[in-house]
Amino acid sequence: MKISHHIVIVDDDADDREIVRDAFASLTASFEYTFLENGDRLIEFLEQSGGATAPSLILLDLNMPGKDGRDTLHEIKKDERFHQIPVVIFTTSSSIRDRKMAYELGANCFVTKPDTFNKLIELAESIRRLWLQ
Amino acid sequence: MNTYVPSPPSIEKLQLLSRYADYLFRERFNELVQEYEQRFRELDLPLSRIYARLEEADLSREMQRFWREFLQGMQVDEPSSLILRSIERWKNDQHPILRKAEIEPADLLGMSHLRKDILLRFITGFAHDAQELVLLVREINAYFNSWETQAIDLYTQLLREQVRADHLLIERVNHTIPGAIYIFDQQLFRNIYSNGKLPEVIGYSSEELNALGETAIAQLIHPDDVLLVKEHLEKNQMLKDGEVSTTRYRIRNPQGIYHWFANHVAVFRRNENGEVLQTIGITLSVDEEQKQAEASRRSETLYRQAEELAHIGNFHWNPQTGQLQWSDELYRIFEVDPHQTPSVALAEMICHPEDLKMVRNQAERLIREGNKVDFTHRIITNGRHKIVRMRARLQPENEELWIVGTVQDVTEKQHLIHKLQEKDILHQQAEELANMGGWIWNLQTGQVEWTTQMYHIYGLDPDIPLEQDPFPRFVHPDDRERMQLVKEKILREGKSDHNFRIVLPNGKIRNLHTIARLFTDAEGKPSHIIGAEQDVTEKQQILHQLQESETLYKQAQSLANLGNWSMDVKTRQIHWSEQMYRIFEIEGGGPPTLDVWLTYLDKEEGEAALAYYEECLREKKTYDRIHQIRLHNGKLKTIHRKGEFIYDAQGEAVRMIGTTQDITAEYNVQQELKENQKFIQQIADASPTILYLFDAEEQSIQYINREIFFVLGYLPDEIIGAEKNVTRLLYHPDDYHLLPGRKESGRGFNEADTMMQYECRMRYKDGSFRWVLVREIVFSTSKDGKIKQILGTALDINRRKEMERTILQNTVLLEQSNASLEEFAYVASHDLKEPLRKISTFGDRLVSTQGDRLNPEGKLYLQKIVDASQRMQTMISDLLSISMIRGNTAFEPFSLQSILEEVQQTLEHKIEMLDAEVITDKLPETKVIPSQFRQLFQNLMSNSLKFVKPGTRPRLEVRYELISPSAASHFGMLHAGPSHKIEFSDNGIGFENEFAGKIFAIFQRLHGRSEYEGSGIGLAICKKIVEHHGGVIFAQGIPGEGATFTILLPA
């Protein structure tokens, strides 16, 4: 039986949500997706699902209206119910400062959004290999 | 604000200042010394006077020496040891020009100010950015603050030593004086100072006396002297300045024995109403003197006794019954047989026939009028003439009338009187001699009879009968016991000769000299004592005074280099004491006359002195003048000449007696003191700092120099006139809390000898405020340790403060601008890149998903869109990385060699591909931000590997050397220390030198994008990195031959 992984993609940019999904979809594995617009939605989602149906991976943008990626990351990682869920920060920023901050808050990975689709597919494949097996 | 703590503040190594010193020494030395010299000449400091004595060349040399030592020292030494050395040199008086004592606070502050100013002047040529500037200014301030603090500290210490020396001198003087010196407070009725000799002189310490308070008079002073002492105390309150009140009295020592003391008192302090607050006194023991006086008085009376007293006889006569009794002495006077019965007839027989009638008349008058009689008449005994004095009076006895009287043989006295009368001067004395009282004391009845003169002596009315034994009532309490002994002595030995004191009804004390003799009755039993008394009070006083003046005079002379002289007013003949010859430094001769004496003065002063002498003579006043004399050996002396006239009976001045004191030394000291005071005044006025003396009790400023006008626009009188309001007038209300000893602040000095330093705002006359640096020390304290006066200086630091503020403002602005730049960069990196990324990603997707449907042209266009957007993303990233090269990252010592090797490894692939030859020197370790230097080296090396000349084996050389500041300055590197020079040269395509500056500009390209890849930002990043490290980078190129990039970094 094929294990179905559940990926939560949190990004205020609808384009990016779609491209990321396309990239993962192009992989051989099949995934379940949840799209959320900001941190508030993510926290609501996690609370509802409880510890039982925790997602396999969260792709989290940093700069979002409402609760941004930093605060959200901080909340997830200090909450014992959720802190084991891998969080990949997926952002336009390539700033060292953001990178440092993210790791300090407990992010499992920090990825700058690539500027070609091919690179994005490569990235999705790396993520899958690292976190979804 | 800093509070000065006596231990020298530690200044850690002032890194920047040390480098700056090196820079100044190597680059700007002559300029600096020249500037300093010029500024120094303009400066008006106390020490300028000393430097003004130097030759110009010497002055220059001295200034060069100073700066050379200072700048070199600053590179080698800890600043604190540099300061210490400079201070030590001053302390040990090793300064080449200045003497230790010549340095004043104004010098210290002024010189420090000037040196600091000079250092600040060249700062911009050295420091490259605001941060370094601020740091350097701070280090310079730290250095000079420390220097000033320690210098002022030393100065205070030197002052204190001087005061201690003065104090020691006063102490020594105190101890050499034979008497007890004290200062007596009239209101507190206690001694507030004594030289510690009171116990030695009178047997009581100052504390013991103070503890007794007013009861000391009753307890310690001889009862006879109590009145006198009280009068003395009252009189002291009326003393005029310069007047000395002298009293002698007896004080009982702890063993209960009275001793005589002379007490000389003068005014020490008055209050503002002129009332005497404190008196200064000296108490001398005069016991010896007193004993001498008594001894001489005794010999005086002995002579008189011998002459007189044995020759008084007495009689007892009843004119009605004719009964007559004689004393033995009368038999002796009359020279009749003691067995003969006394009778009037016998008496008349002896009487000189010529006087008989007179004697009878006197007797009749006595009986008739009841008066006393007192007359002399002649008698003839054994053919010899004698003169007797007869004194008699009526005395009723058991309703009978008796006449009692004495007969005194005054023959010899009369002779003496005649002789004395010839001599005018002794006339008075002779009269006094006759003034004797006589008494008879009947031992059986206890009855005492007195002569009239006795009544006079005792101040009684002769008509009032005496009680049985009147003596005890009159005899001075202290003499009573002794009188008992005298009585026993008379009874034992038959006679006595003694002095004693009586207290008169009016309270006055008289000194009496008595000679008494015991008479026995027929059975040999003591029957009565007959005595004669003479009032010797005045005599004693005269003697006393004579002795006193003699003693004082001798003392004064020996103590004070005092000579005495006398001069005959008529002949102007002068007589000198030995001391006078010593003062005038001649062997003998001396001035025989006033006119010769006057030749010791110069002409003008001589005339003035003569005129003054004549004025004194005319107006009968004391001569008291200070003269300058020129001795025969040419020496100049200052003398104090005092003289009094002695007048004859007609009030004509006959002699002048005086003293001359050599006060040359004192006079010179006084002149010097005056000069010093003037000097200090001038310094204070010339000082570029405000100097003032604040009276903490009055809360007002007592003195302030003129500088206040230049700094704050007030005249000194306005400040002094402001009195209690001065603090509110002068200081910013927010700064009151800083001011020690002011009512408004409640702040005190930590210790009395602490120096306070603080910066505060003072009000300019127009109401604006100015910053001043204030230093204050306690100048004087009251006995209870309360601060009385504060000495302060205030230096105008407004300009410095403004500069500091400007720098601070700029720093803040810079930080703000940096922060906003960072903010911008972040936004740019995120928000600007976002749409570009979309263009790129979707373009890419379009190509991969829809590529088949596009014709080749469409594909190309799409590809161009994607490429352009990606290039723009790169540019944005590059821009961002440039903007990141700044600030917060810490510089750390790091091996450039290891960075170079790392970069070589990164580029290894490319180097191998190009078969490039890389030759490198060993690079040093220095303080850098490693990540930036990694980028720097990588950019430069990539650059060389990029612009290779086709057909030539690429060659890349990295050269290193450490160069001197002067060498570095040729490249536009203004750094005081040595520099690292690193060169990257290649044999690539090179470039035209005219573009050498341009290539560092952002996005500047010398070659088309198609020829060489790259955004054109690499070198801009290099420049930014090097500059951020305080260095410079420049390029040189020869087209077709290669390029060289040179980096200079402060070592």
Side-chain angles (χ1 to χ4, degrees), chain B residues 943 947 983-1000 1006-1007 1019 1034-1046:
Chain B
N943 228 38
F947 297 104
E983 271 182 357
F984 288 79
S985 46
D986 61 51
N987 58 350
I989 57 169
F991 54 89
E992 290 283 357
N993 251 342
E994 59 184 293
F995 299 116
K998 244 178 155 182
I999 56 173
F1000 293 105
L1006 296 181
H1007 308 281
L1019 289 176
F1034 52 92
Q1036 280 171 306
I1038 305 166
E1041 287 193 17
T1044 302
F1045 290 84
T1046 309

Side-chain angles (χ1 to χ4, degrees), chain B residues 743-783:
Chain B
K743 202 172 72 273
E744 287 82 356
S745 81
R747 182 168 195 240
F749 279 81
N750 300 343
E751 288 166 45
D753 54 355
T754 326
M755 173 181 288
M756 299 288 263
Q757 174 177 307
Y758 52 89
E759 290 177 3
C760 70
R761 284 156 290 180
M762 292 183 88
R763 199 191 305 270
Y764 195 83
K765 207 175 176 188
D766 65 7
S768 63
F769 286 96
R770 289 203 169 197
W771 280 99
V772 292
L773 171 68
V774 176
R775 292 219 169 91
E776 291 185 332
I777 51 166
V778 174
F779 188 66
S780 64
T781 48
S782 60
K783 286 190 301 295

Side-chain angles (χ1 to χ4, degrees), chain B residues 805-925:
Chain B
R805 204 164 46 230
T806 314
I807 290 172
L808 196 69
Q809 274 171 356
N810 287 347
T811 313
V812 170
L813 281 177
L814 190 67
E815 269 165 16
Q816 279 172 351
S817 104
N818 278 336
S820 49
L821 186 66
E822 214 165 302
E823 185 63 29
F824 166 78
Y826 186 80
V827 169
S829 76
H830 190 271
D831 294 3
L832 289 183
K833 276 161 90 184
E834 182 82 26
L836 286 171
R837 190 171 46 76
K838 292 276 177 66
I839 294 169
S840 166
T841 313
F842 284 103
D844 193 35
R845 289 217 73 198
L846 193 60
V847 172
S848 60
T849 57
Q850 313 282 313
D852 317 344
R853 295 179 213 172
L854 289 171
N855 63 18
E857 252 184 341
K859 273 188 188 168
L860 182 69
Y861 295 156
L862 193 58
Q863 193 56 50
K864 281 191 188 294
I865 292 171
V866 172
D867 285 350
S869 68
Q870 283 176 356
R871 212 165 48 241
M872 189 159 173
Q873 280 197 56
T874 317
M875 284 164 79
I876 289 173
S877 299
D878 288 347
L879 262 184
L880 189 64
S881 52
I882 281 201
S883 74
M884 289 298 185
I885 302 168
R886 53 159 243 99
N888 302 338
T889 330
F891 289 77
E892 47 182 307
F894 210 92
S895 160
L896 295 183
Q897 179 67 25
S898 70
I899 293 177
L900 186 66
E901 282 165 11
E902 215 176 300
V903 170
Q904 269 178 272
Q905 261 171 7
T906 315
L907 296 174
E908 202 178 9
H909 178 65
K910 206 161 191 180
I911 293 168
E912 265 172 35
M913 279 220 328
L914 289 168
D915 185 28
E917 188 187 2
V918 181
I919 304 152
T920 63
D921 284 349
K922 179 136 170 52
L923 298 190
E925 187 185 284

Side-chain angles (χ1 to χ4, degrees), chain B residues 364-639:
Chain B
E364 274 168 28
R365 193 165 64 88
L366 180 65
I367 296 160
R368 188 175 63 245
E369 294 173 16
N371 274 339
K372 292 166 289 190
V373 290
D374 186 350
F375 58 92
T376 50
H377 64 94
R378 290 165 291 178
I379 55 171
I380 303 164
T381 59
N382 296 334
R384 274 199 303 129
H385 282 254
K386 273 189 181 175
I387 300 161
V388 294
R389 180 175 177 185
M390 174 80 71
R391 275 173 288 193
R393 64 183 175 84
L394 284 179
Q395 186 171 317
E397 232 178 81
N398 309 327
E399 293 180 36
E400 287 175 352
L401 196 66
W402 285 80
I403 288 172
V404 284
T406 58
V407 175
Q408 184 180 9
D409 183 351
V410 293
T411 317
E412 288 219 34
K413 197 163 87 178
Q414 283 304 89
H415 283 306
L416 193 65
I417 288 168
H418 284 301
K419 269 187 243 164
L420 287 176
Q421 270 168 348
E422 286 161 18
K423 293 185 180 178
D424 216 13
I425 300 167
L426 293 176
H427 175 65
Q428 191 71 28
Q429 229 177 351
E431 266 186 351
E432 232 182 73
L433 279 173
N435 222 7
M436 281 177 91
W439 48 268
I440 304 166
W441 183 16
N442 190 321
L443 293 170
Q444 268 120 34
T445 62
Q447 202 108 48
V448 173
E449 284 177 43
W450 275 9
T451 65
T452 315
Q453 190 57 32
M454 278 293 282
Y455 286 89
H456 288 318
I457 290 170
Y458 280 72
L460 297 176
D461 186 345
D463 294 333
I464 298 170
L466 293 167
E467 65 264 46
Q468 267 220 332
D469 186 0
F471 280 114
R473 185 156 67 90
F474 291 102
V475 173
H476 195 284
D478 287 351
D479 291 348
R480 275 175 200 159
E481 205 178 317
R482 196 162 55 86
M483 288 314 287
Q484 191 56 41
L485 294 175
V486 166
K487 188 183 163 189
E488 284 164 17
K489 187 185 168 205
I490 296 171
L491 292 173
R492 193 169 62 244
E493 295 175 8
K495 59 182 178 182
S496 167
D497 175 357
H498 58 271
N499 284 311
F500 69 103
R501 288 162 302 172
I502 56 169
V503 183
L504 300 191
N506 64 9
K508 282 202 177 127
I509 294 164
R510 311 295 290 180
N511 286 301
L512 298 183
H513 176 227
T514 297
I515 297 165
R517 179 169 290 181
L518 176 71
F519 290 90
T520 47
D521 59 15
E523 296 153 27
K525 264 173 67 187
S527 63
H528 54 272
I529 299 170
I530 297 177
E533 285 179 14
Q534 188 178 24
D535 184 347
V536 294
T537 311
E538 268 169 38
K539 178 84 189 153
Q540 195 190 25
Q541 275 170 354
I542 289 165
L543 269 167
H544 201 145
Q545 275 163 11
L546 198 71
Q547 291 281 335
E548 179 182 308
S549 57
E550 179 82 4
T551 317
L552 278 179
Y553 154 85
K554 276 182 196 152
Q555 269 178 351
Q557 217 173 16
S558 58
L559 269 179
N561 200 12
L562 195 73
N564 76 316
W565 46 268
S566 65
M567 184 182 79
D568 190 306
V569 172
K570 228 176 252 167
T571 63
R572 292 185 170 184
Q573 283 286 332
I574 294 177
H575 175 261
W576 269 3
S577 75
E578 272 176 50
Q579 186 66 25
M580 287 299 291
Y581 288 97
R582 279 196 284 275
I583 292 171
F584 278 75
E585 298 182 18
I586 46 177
E587 290 292 320
T593 65
L594 177 65
D595 303 293
V596 173
W597 181 85
L598 286 170
T599 61
Y600 280 94
L601 307 178
D602 72 21
K603 196 170 166 249
E604 222 165 279
E605 201 177 340
E607 281 165 11
L610 189 60
Y612 177 65
Y613 164 75
E614 275 156 5
E615 180 191 320
C616 292
L617 186 60
R618 202 165 51 244
E619 294 174 15
K620 299 194 170 181
K621 59 182 196 187
T622 306
Y623 184 100
D624 187 348
R625 267 282 154 101
I626 288 170
H627 295 295
Q628 304 277 348
I629 54 168
R630 183 180 289 279
L631 303 187
H632 289 155
N633 59 17
K635 207 160 159 189
L636 281 173
K637 275 195 175 180
T638 307
I639 56 165

Side-chain angles (χ1 to χ4, degrees), chain B residues 598-747:
Chain B
L598 286 170
T599 61
Y600 280 94
L601 307 178
D602 72 21
K603 196 170 166 249
E604 222 165 279
E605 201 177 340
E607 281 165 11
L610 189 60
Y612 177 65
Y613 164 75
E614 275 156 5
E615 180 191 320
C616 292
L617 186 60
R618 202 165 51 244
E619 294 174 15
K620 299 194 170 181
K621 59 182 196 187
T622 306
Y623 184 100
D624 187 348
R625 267 282 154 101
I626 288 170
H627 295 295
Q628 304 277 348
I629 54 168
R630 183 180 289 279
L631 303 187
H632 289 155
N633 59 17
K635 207 160 159 189
L636 281 173
K637 275 195 175 180
T638 307
I639 56 165
H640 185 191
R641 191 165 187 260
K642 266 180 140 174
E644 301 249 10
F645 289 103
I646 291 180
Y647 303 94
D648 61 15
Q650 282 74 44
E652 283 292 316
V654 287
R655 288 193 81 71
M656 188 179 196
I657 297 174
T659 57
T660 292
Q661 189 177 15
D662 181 355
I663 56 163
T664 313
E666 292 88 334
Y667 184 79
N668 287 347
V669 168
Q670 215 170 14
Q671 287 302 107
E672 208 172 310
L673 194 70
K674 268 186 203 156
E675 242 171 64
N676 277 348
Q677 278 167 347
K678 200 174 148 206
F679 180 56
I680 288 165
Q681 179 67 38
Q682 280 172 345
I683 286 172
D685 282 340
S687 162
T689 46
I690 300 171
L691 289 171
Y692 55 89
L693 197 58
F694 180 77
D695 186 318
E697 285 169 350
E698 297 295 326
Q699 288 289 312
S700 64
I701 285 183
Q702 287 179 323
Y703 167 78
I704 189 157
N705 68 347
R706 286 203 318 249
E707 185 64 14
I708 186 84
F709 178 76
F710 302 112
V711 178
L712 296 175
Y714 304 96
L715 294 169
D717 286 346
E718 288 180 81
I719 301 302
I720 292 160
E723 295 180 346
K724 283 185 167 48
N725 300 319
V726 77
T727 304
R728 263 165 290 150
L729 172 75
L730 280 181
Y731 296 93
H732 194 290
D734 293 351
D735 293 342
Y736 288 166
H737 69 280
L738 295 172
L739 313 171
R742 268 71 160 194
K743 202 172 72 273
E744 287 82 356
S745 81
R747 182 168 195 240

Side-chain angles (χ1 to χ4, degrees), chain A:
Chain A
M1 187 196 134
K2 211 173 191 175
I3 304 157
S4 176
H5 285 292
H6 183 193
I7 300 173
V8 178
I9 299 164
V10 189
D11 199 321
D12 61 314
D13 189 319
D15 292 340
D16 281 348
R17 293 198 295 261
E18 227 158 282
I19 292 173
V20 170
R21 193 206 40 208
D22 287 355
F24 276 97
S26 71
L27 303 180
T28 48
S30 73
F31 301 104
E32 203 182 309
Y33 304 100
T34 303
F35 297 103
L36 299 166
E37 288 149 37
N38 58 34
D40 297 314
R41 296 289 97 75
L42 175 63
I43 300 298
E44 279 168 27
F45 171 83
L46 290 174
E47 291 287 346
Q48 277 167 20
S49 63
T53 55
S56 321
L57 179 75
I58 298 169
L59 277 179
L60 182 62
D61 190 13
L62 278 185
N63 295 313
M64 295 177 289
K67 185 170 283 178
D68 71 5
R70 295 166 189 81
D71 294 345
T72 313
L73 176 64
H74 185 58
E75 275 184 43
I76 294 171
K77 286 300 175 184
K78 73 173 188 197
D79 192 320
E80 283 195 9
R81 292 168 298 166
F82 312 126
H83 77 269
Q84 81 289 353
I85 305 170
V87 178
V88 175
I89 298 298
F90 194 65
T91 174
T92 320
S93 168
S94 57
S95 128
I96 294 166
R97 202 173 59 187
D98 282 342
R99 184 183 294 269
K100 200 165 163 245
M101 177 275 304
Y103 283 123
E104 274 168 10
L105 289 177
N108 300 73
C109 187
F110 184 98
V111 179
T112 302
K113 291 174 180 171
D115 45 16
T116 66
F117 188 68
N118 285 334
K119 281 185 194 161
L120 187 59
I121 293 170
E122 283 169 25
L123 186 70
E125 176 56 22
S126 321
I127 290 172
R128 187 192 66 79
R129 276 209 313 270
L130 269 168
W131 306 105
L132 300 175
Q133 274 186 343

